[in-house]
C-alpha cells in the first residue's frame, strides 16, 4: 500500500493508535528539534537504538511524515525520476517501536534508490558534512529468505565512493555503518549522496527502509588522549581505539587493526587491516615464483567456509596496558546462520603498552578442513604511498648465536613513524617477500614459515613508537630484548608454568610481553638478569595475587607502577635500567 494525501480509513485508524504521530504525518511543515512531536520521536529512537544514548545524533529521516520521501528518487534508465514509480511513506510496514511509517520503494536488479545531499535542514534531507558523526544507522526489512543490499556513499565530487554489501536478515534488522571505514574512501566533510541497490533482485522487489540516523556514539573508556604519554581507550563507531597521547593510536574493527595514526597524520595502514595475517603458502613461495603472494585472497580459505563472522572485545584496560581480543569464525550455509563454536577460526590477542610495544598472539584452527598450502606464513600491510622501505638485520650478524631476525618498515626522516615487526620465533623472519600493488596503495610484507598443521599459533612484537627506529641497529636493540628475554634469578617463588601465550614454557610470555612468576607463601624475591641486551620497561605478572593486597620493592624502594590484569593478578612495570640487576621483592597479604 502506498500512502497518499487522502488516507484510507484503515490508515487513519493506524495513525490514531501510534503515539506522537497524529497531527504531524500529513502536515506541510517538517518537524524541528523544538517541536514536541520531534522530541517524542527522538526519545523513541533512543529507547530502541543503544548507539543514541549519548544524545549526539541527527535524524536524516524517520518517515513519520510523507514529506520525508520527497528527497528519495529511483531514477529511470535515462536518469529521469518522473518516469518511474517513486518511493513513498507506507504506514503498513514501519518499525513499530520507533513510529508508524517507513520508506517503501520497488527496485529491480538495475535500479537504485538515491538520496542526494542538499541545503535543507528538515527531516528527509541528507546533510553534506558528516564529520561530527561516527556511525550511520538504518533499519532495513528483509523478506523470509533474507536480502542482500548494496549500499554506496558517494562524495560530493561524484568521483569517490565507498560501497558495502549488507546481509539483511528476515524482519527488521539494524545496519551499523562505521564512518571510519567510509572516511578511507571519501571526504566526510563533502558527502554527495546515499545509494541503495538490490543486486539479486530477479524481478521488481519491495524495499523497506526506516530510521536513517547519523550518530556520534564516542565514549572514553580509559585515560585522556590529550595527555602526553598516557594510555587511553575510546569507543568510536564500531571501533575500539587504543593509543598513547602524543605517540600513536590504533583502531580495531572486526578483531583486527584497521587504523594506525599519529597526531595530525593520516592512516598509515590499509582499510582491510594491518595484520599479522596468517597466510597459507606453497613450498616455493619465496623462491622467485611468477605469481606474487596474495595474503588477502578469499580463495585461500574457501574450504573453511563461505561466511565469516567477526567479533572483538576489550579484555583488559589499565594505565599500564590494554588487551583487545578478536575472532574470525568461518561457516557454510549448511551449518546455519550462526557459525559453530568449534569451526575453523583465526583469533588475535593484542596487548598494547604506552611505550608503543604491541604484543600479538595469533592462533589459527583449521577444524579438520586443512589449509590451501603446505606452509603457513604471516603478512602485514601498510599504505605504500608513505614511502616505507624494508630494512633487515645485517646478514653477518644474523648468523651469530644470539642473532635476531626482524623486519623494519621505515620512512626516511627521524620525525616520521616506522614499524618494527619481530616474530618471537626467529625462523619466521628468515624468509621475507615484499609486494607493492600496481597503484602503490599497498605494501604487503610476508614472513615465514611453519608447517600447516591443524593448529598454528605464533607471537609477534609490533613496535609503533618511538618513531626513530630508522635503521638496523635500532631495530636490533628492540628485537634482541624480545627474542632473547631477560633471565630471572629466583630467590623465593617460582615460574608460573602452563600460562596461555607462553609458547615455549620458559616463564616469559612472548604473547603478552611479560614474565610470569608465582608467590611462595606470600613472598616473591628475584633478580632480573640483564644479559647483553638493553631492556625496555620490563613487566612482571605475579600469580596468586588476585584479591590480595601487595607491596612491591626494587632495592628496598617502593615501586608504585603496579596495576592488575583482567583477572585481578598483579602487574609490575619495572623501572628502566641499563646494567644494574636490582632485587625485586613482592609481599602479599
Amino acid at each position: 500500500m502506498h500512502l497518499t494525501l487522502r488516507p484510507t480509513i484503515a490508515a487513519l485508524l493506524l495513525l490514531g493508535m501510534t503515539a506522537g504521530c497524529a497531527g504531524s504525518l500529513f502536515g506541510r511543515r517538517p518537524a524541528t528539534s523544538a517541536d514536541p512531536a520531534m522530541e517524542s520521536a527522538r526519545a523513541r529512537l533512543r529507547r530502541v537504538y543503544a548507539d543514541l544514548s549519548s544524545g549526539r545524533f541527527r535524524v536524516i529521516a524517520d518517515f513519520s511524515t510523507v514529506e520525508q520521501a520527497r528527497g528519495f528518487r529511483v531514477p529511470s534508465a535515462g536518469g529521469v525520476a518522473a518516469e518511474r514509480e517513486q518511493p513513498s511513506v507506507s504506514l503498513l510496514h514501519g518499525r513499530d517501536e520507533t513510529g508508524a511509517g517507513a520508506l517503501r520503494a520497488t527496485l529491480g536488479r538495475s535500479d537504485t534508490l538515491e538520496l542526494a545531499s542538499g541545503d535543507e535542514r528538515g527531516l528527509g534531507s541528507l546533510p553534506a558534512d558528516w564529520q561530527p558523526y561516527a556511525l550511520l544507522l538504518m533499519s532495513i526489512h528483509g523478506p523470509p529468505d533474507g536480502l542482500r543490499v548494496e549500499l554506496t556513499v558517494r562524495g560530493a565530487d561524484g568521483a569517490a565512493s565507498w560501497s558495502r554489501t549488507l546481509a539483511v536478515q528476515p524482519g527488521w534488522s539494524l545496519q551499523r555503518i562505521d564512518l571510519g571505514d567510509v572516511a578511507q574512501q571519501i571526504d566526510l566533510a563533502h558527502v554527495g549522496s546515499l545509494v541503495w541497490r538490490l543486486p539479486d533482485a530477479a524481478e521488481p522487489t519491495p524495499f523497506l527502509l526506516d530510521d536513517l540516523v547519523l550518530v556520534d556514539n564516542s565514549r572514553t573508556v580509559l585515560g585522556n588522549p590529550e595527555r602526553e604519554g598516557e594510555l587511553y581507550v575510546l569507543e568510536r563507531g564500531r571501533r575500539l581505539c587504543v593509543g598513547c597521547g602524543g605517540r600513536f593510536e590504533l583502531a580495531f574493527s572486526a578483531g583486527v587493526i584497521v587504523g594506525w595514526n599519529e597526531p595530525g597524520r593520516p592512516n598509515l595502514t590499509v582499510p582491510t587491516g594491518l595484520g599479522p595475517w596468517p597466510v597459507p603458502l606453497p613450498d616455493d613461495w619465496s623462491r622467485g615464483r611468477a605469481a606474487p603472494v596474495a595474503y588477502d585472497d578469499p580463495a585461500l580459505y574457501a574450504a573453511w567456509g563461505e561466511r565469516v563472522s567477526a567479533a572483538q572485545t576489550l579484555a583488559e584496560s589499565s594505565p599500564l596496558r590494554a588487551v583487545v581480543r578478536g575472532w574470525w569464525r568461518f561457516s557454510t550455509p549448511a551449518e546455519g546462520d550462526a557459525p559453530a563454536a568449534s569451526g575453523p577460526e583465526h583469533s588475535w590477542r593484542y596487548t598494547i603498552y604506552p611505550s608503543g610495544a604491541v604484543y600479538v598472539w595469533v592462533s589459527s584452527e583449521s577444524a579438520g578442513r586443512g589449509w590451501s598450502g603446505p606452509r603457513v606464513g604471516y603478512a602485514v600491510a601498510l599504505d605504500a604511498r608513505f614511502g616505507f622501505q624494508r630494512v633487515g638485520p645485517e646478514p653477518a650478524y644474523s648468523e651469530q648465536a644470539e642473532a635476531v631476525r626482524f623486519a623494519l618498515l621505515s620512512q626516511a626522516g627521524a620525525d616520521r613513524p616506522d614499524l618494527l615487526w619481530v616474530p618471537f620465533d626467529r625462523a619466521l623472519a628468515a624468509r621475507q617477500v615484499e609486494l607493492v600493488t600496481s597503484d602503490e596503495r599497498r605494501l604487503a610484507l610476508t614472513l615465514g614459515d611453519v608447517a600447516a598443521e591443524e593448529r598454528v599459533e605464533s607471537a609477534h612484537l609490533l613496535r609503533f613508537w618511538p618513531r626513530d627506529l630508522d635503521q638496523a641497529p635500532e631495530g636490533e636493540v628492540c628485537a634482541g630484548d624480545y627474542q632473547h628475554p631477560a633471565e630471572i634469578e629466583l630467590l623465593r617463588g617460582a615460574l608460573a608454568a602452563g600460562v596461555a601465550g607462553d609458547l615455549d614454557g620458559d616463564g616469559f610470555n612472548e604473547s603478552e610481553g611479560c614474565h610470569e612468576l608465582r608467590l611462595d607463601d606470600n613472598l616473591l624475591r628475584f633478580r632480573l638478569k640483564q644479559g647483553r641486551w638493553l631492556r625496555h620497561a620490563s613487566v612482571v605478572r605475579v600469580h596468586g595475587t588476585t584479591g590480595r593486597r601487595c607491596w612491591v620493592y626494587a632495592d628496598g624502594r617502593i615501586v608504585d607502577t603496579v596495576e592488575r590484569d583482567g583477572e585481578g593478578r598483579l602487574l609490575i612495570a619495572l623501572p628502566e635500567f641499563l646494567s644494574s640487576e636490582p632485587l625485586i621483592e613482592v609481599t602479599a597479604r
Side-chain angles (χ1 to χ4, degrees):
M1 172 184 174
H2 298 284
L3 189 66
T4 68
L5 291 179
R6 302 182 67 181
T8 65
I9 297 297
L12 285 173
L13 289 174
L14 181 59
L15 175 62
M17 291 185 290
T18 307
C21 291
S24 65
L25 184 59
F26 301 106
R28 297 289 184 181
R29 178 177 58 85
T32 68
S33 60
D35 292 334
M38 182 58 184
E39 287 303 309
S40 175
R42 288 174 62 89
R44 281 198 306 273
L45 290 171
R46 290 182 68 177
R47 285 195 298 269
V48 174
Y49 303 120
D51 287 306
L52 307 187
S53 61
S54 69
R56 302 184 300 272
F57 62 92
R58 175 172 177 177
V59 181
I60 299 172
D62 64 1
F63 305 108
S64 60
T65 64
V66 294
E67 284 87 351
Q68 292 184 44
R70 64 187 174 187
F72 292 82
R73 292 289 182 267
V74 179
S76 66
V80 181
E83 298 179 6
R84 287 291 311 270
E85 176 188 8
Q86 291 305 304
S88 61
V89 173
S90 170
L91 281 177
L92 296 182
H93 300 99
R95 185 164 185 169
D96 295 338
E97 313 96 293
T98 61
L103 187 77
R104 186 183 189 279
T106 302
L107 303 177
R109 181 178 298 162
S110 60
D111 295 326
T112 58
L113 170 66
E114 301 181 5
L115 174 63
S117 63
D119 297 329
E120 296 185 62
R121 298 292 298 176
L123 293 180
S125 63
L126 183 68
D129 186 2
W130 291 13
Q131 292 180 108
Y133 308 104
L135 276 177
L136 172 66
L137 303 184
M138 66 187 74
S139 283
I140 301 177
H141 191 276
D145 294 334
L147 187 69
R148 283 203 320 140
V149 179
E150 183 183 274
L151 173 68
T152 299
V153 184
R154 291 178 179 160
D157 60 2
S161 66
W162 173 93
S163 294
R164 178 69 52 84
T165 299
L166 311 175
V168 179
Q169 301 302 312
W172 285 107
S173 66
L174 174 64
Q175 305 296 322
R176 304 170 70 241
I177 310 303
D178 193 299
L179 298 186
D181 297 339
V182 180
Q184 297 294 324
Q185 303 296 328
I186 68 171
D187 181 0
L188 293 185
H190 303 285
V191 175
S193 63
L194 278 170
V195 182
W196 295 263
R197 191 174 73 88
L198 306 183
D200 301 330
E203 58 185 27
T205 301
F207 176 67
L208 297 168
L209 175 70
D210 203 356
D211 301 331
L212 193 58
V213 184
L214 287 166
V215 56
D216 176 19
N217 67 339
S218 302
R219 183 176 76 91
T220 300
V221 178
L222 173 75
N224 185 343
E226 303 302 321
R227 292 177 185 159
E228 184 81 19
E230 182 173 303
L231 191 70
Y232 64 85
V233 180
L234 308 175
E235 291 179 352
R236 182 187 301 141
R238 300 185 65 168
R239 299 181 173 205
L240 274 171
C241 299
V242 182
C244 184
R247 296 180 179 180
F248 67 92
E249 180 177 283
L250 302 175
F252 294 83
S253 180
V256 297
I257 299 173
V258 297
W260 167 28
N261 298 85
E262 287 202 346
R265 299 179 187 268
N267 185 12
L268 294 169
T269 186
V270 293
T272 51
L274 182 144
W277 298 101
V279 188
L281 298 170
D283 283 324
D284 61 345
W285 69 277
S286 64
R287 300 192 185 99
R289 299 174 69 248
V293 175
Y295 75 95
D296 56 351
D297 184 353
L300 294 174
Y301 297 100
W304 285 23
E306 300 174 20
R307 300 177 180 175
V308 179
S309 175
Q312 67 183 25
T313 184
L314 178 65
E316 179 186 321
S317 63
S318 74
L320 174 58
R321 70 181 202 174
V323 178
V324 177
R325 298 190 64 191
W327 301 266
W328 280 25
R329 295 192 174 106
F330 295 78
S331 65
T332 63
E335 295 171 345
D337 292 332
S342 60
E345 80 167 22
H346 298 309
S347 58
W348 294 264
R349 183 175 66 225
Y350 308 86
T351 303
I352 306 110
Y353 293 89
S355 64
V358 177
Y359 298 89
V360 190
W361 173 75
V362 189
S363 176
S364 299
E365 301 265 5
S366 66
R369 299 187 186 177
W371 296 76
S372 59
R375 313 295 297 173
V376 174
Y378 295 87
V380 298
L382 298 177
D383 193 321
R385 294 171 296 179
F386 292 100
F388 286 99
Q389 299 292 323
R390 177 165 58 100
V391 178
E394 298 297 333
Y397 176 76
S398 66
E399 301 303 322
Q400 296 178 11
E402 288 197 351
V404 294
R405 291 198 174 105
F406 59 87
L408 174 60
L409 294 166
S410 173
Q411 297 183 83
D415 63 339
R416 303 182 68 192
D418 309 304
L419 174 62
L420 176 67
W421 176 17
V422 189
F424 187 75
D425 181 356
R426 286 175 287 166
L428 278 177
R431 292 195 279 175
Q432 306 182 12
V433 170
E434 181 181 339
L435 170 68
V436 178
T437 54
S438 58
D439 60 359
E440 295 189 343
R441 292 183 63 91
R442 181 177 309 187
L443 164 64
L445 179 63
T446 303
L447 305 185
D449 50 48
V450 295
E453 299 176 344
E454 182 76 5
R455 176 183 175 90
V456 178
E457 59 182 354
S458 63
H460 308 256
L461 167 64
L462 299 176
R463 192 95 196 196
F464 295 94
W465 196 88
R467 62 174 60 92
D468 57 352
L469 298 175
D470 295 303
Q471 300 297 328
E474 296 98 311
E476 287 167 353
V477 170
C478 293
D481 182 31
Y482 179 56
Q483 291 180 342
H484 300 280
E487 294 182 14
I488 298 290
E489 179 186 355
L490 279 166
L491 305 175
R492 181 77 177 266
L495 297 178
V499 178
D502 182 1
L503 301 185
D504 57 4
D506 66 347
F508 176 73
N509 192 325
E510 53 271 14
S511 303
E512 297 188 41
C514 62
H515 298 271
E516 306 278 8
L517 302 179
R518 188 178 301 279
L519 293 171
D520 176 15
D521 192 22
N522 302 327
L523 293 175
L524 173 66
R525 187 178 294 117
F526 66 92
R527 292 186 186 276
L528 199 66
K529 309 290 285 186
Q530 300 304 296
R532 60 161 294 178
W533 298 102
L534 178 66
R535 302 302 173 183
H536 303 272
S538 298
V539 175
V540 175
R541 175 158 52 193
V542 185
H543 294 250
T545 55
T546 300
R548 307 177 68 182
R549 294 185 64 189
C550 298
W551 294 263
V552 183
Y553 304 89
D555 285 339
R557 296 185 178 184
I558 293 177
V559 176
D560 55 10
T561 51
V562 296
E563 295 291 341
R564 300 280 178 165
D565 72 1
E567 298 182 19
R569 295 168 295 196
L570 188 70
L571 288 169
I572 308 169
L574 298 177
E576 292 194 25
F577 39 80
L578 297 177
S579 59
S580 63
E581 298 180 355
L583 175 66
I584 310 299
E585 298 175 285
V586 180
T587 303
R589 180 180 299 171

